[in-house]
Amino acid sequence: MQRLIHKEIKNIFVFPSKNKAVKESAKFIANLISKNPQASISYATGNTQIPVYLELARMVLKSKLDFSKTKAFHLDEYYPCKPSAQHSFVGYLRKCVFNPLRISQSNVFELNGKAVDPKKEAKRYEGLLKKHPVTLTILGIGPGGHIGFNEPGSSFKSNTRLIKLSKETLDRDRNDRGQKSPDHALTQGIATILKSKVIILNAFDQEHGKYLKHALTGRISNSCPASALRLVGSKVVLFLSSDAAKEIRS
Ligand code: GLP
């Protein structure tokens, strides 16, 4: 394991392979839960996180880890969107996180992508997050350096809200990934995310390394939402593969 030296974020860990980075990220989450079995956790979706969640599920299967008392939140959901839609993040989370990690149903807090009034739904979710302060947020990074679905231009003071997705995100979703997903989403805000006690971000390949490069080496500005993490750098931990780190160093 190597460290990448950065002014604001001291814990940037670089692993020789994606596999190693995945294992260490899962180990970090597992350690946190062993110390705090009632932790409130906010989960990212995305392909990046799938192997991490699989690793956690393996630990649960072997009875090495118990998520049953943890609380589960998530970052975002397309809007409008029902859980059965192929692109639904709630659907993804039920399949990859809530069920395999055996989190009690009563401790799962889902964003309702079918809510009639998205403003009201965002407010409801923000209220729940306030009631159960988040111990750990697990992040990935997307087009334009988005975290959750906070697209470039999102205020660092933003709370959970409805947002219009950027052209770059829509291109990724519809053209690169062939999704029939909507052009809006409900997302935790940047201020909401920054309140989490600990924040980890996983990036395991070149594409995600490129997004991170802007966030870590450019200006801290809302033109790159992930750059906000540098404002709370002491509680941020990055798990990178060497492929992702190469992009940041280039
Ligand atoms: C998605 C989500 C993000 C996620 C990112 C990367 O759109 N809104 O929370 O981190 O994009 O996803 P992936 O790992 O599939 O590239």
Side-chain angles (χ1 to χ4, degrees), residues 4-6 12 14 203 205-206 208-217 238 240-250:
L4 206 142
I5 307 301
H6 188 268
I12 306 186
V14 182
D205 57 29
Q206 279 185 302
H208 297 94
K210 268 188 201 141
Y211 300 142
L212 257 185
K213 183 184 170 92
H214 292 291
L216 295 176
T217 64
L238 304 193
L240 309 180
S241 66
S242 53
D243 283 351
K246 225 180 275 164
E247 287 300 323
I248 299 166
R249 291 192 183 109
S250 71

Side-chain angles (χ1 to χ4, degrees), residues 49-231:
Q49 316 302 337
I50 290 176
V52 178
Y53 297 152
L54 277 172
E55 184 63 24
L56 292 173
R58 259 194 288 273
M59 295 182 200
V60 170
L61 255 186
K62 288 190 198 153
S63 303
K64 286 186 173 157
L65 190 57
D66 180 9
F67 278 80
S68 62
K69 294 191 191 73
T70 62
K71 297 196 175 61
F73 288 89
H74 61 112
L75 291 171
D76 46 11
E77 172 62 306
Y78 289 100
Y79 186 85
C81 183
K82 48 183 182 190
S84 58
Q86 227 176 6
H87 48 264
S88 166
F89 287 167
V90 169
Y92 165 111
L93 288 155
R94 287 179 186 173
K95 192 169 140 217
C96 301
V97 177
F98 306 151
N99 294 337
L101 301 189
R102 301 179 186 160
I103 302 170
S104 314
Q105 196 76 40
S106 57
N107 284 340
V108 171
F109 299 96
E110 295 176 348
L111 264 164
N112 180 7
K114 291 186 310 182
V116 182
D117 183 344
K119 265 195 188 158
K120 217 166 147 188
E121 172 60 7
K123 212 170 155 201
R124 180 191 72 89
Y125 209 66
E126 188 71 29
L128 285 169
L129 287 158
K130 251 189 211 126
K131 199 169 153 196
H132 306 285
V134 175
T135 322
L136 170 70
T137 294
I138 302 165
L139 293 178
I141 188 164
H146 77 210
I147 46 175
F149 263 139
N150 292 286
E151 299 287 24
S154 293
S155 163
F156 286 179
K157 293 187 178 141
S158 54
N159 287 326
T160 306
R161 68 204 185 287
L162 183 72
I163 190 161
K164 170 123 172 60
L165 300 177
S166 69
K167 187 183 172 306
E168 229 184 320
T169 296
L170 291 175
D171 278 349
R172 178 201 66 172
D173 285 355
R174 294 170 177 181
N175 302 336
D176 306 345
R177 298 189 174 177
Q179 291 179 191
K180 289 192 176 73
S181 44
D183 60 0
H184 279 76
L186 287 162
T187 184
Q188 284 191 30
I190 295 184
T192 321
I193 292 171
L194 297 190
K195 274 184 211 142
S196 176
K197 279 205 187 95
V198 181
I199 300 171
I200 70 172
L201 189 148
N202 294 318
F204 304 140
D205 57 29
Q206 279 185 302
E207 181 197 350
H208 297 94
K210 268 188 201 141
Y211 300 142
L212 257 185
K213 183 184 170 92
H214 292 291
L216 295 176
T217 64
R219 271 192 330 121
I220 300 179
S221 127
N222 67 356
S223 63
C224 182
S227 68
L229 297 173
R230 289 156 61 188
L231 299 174

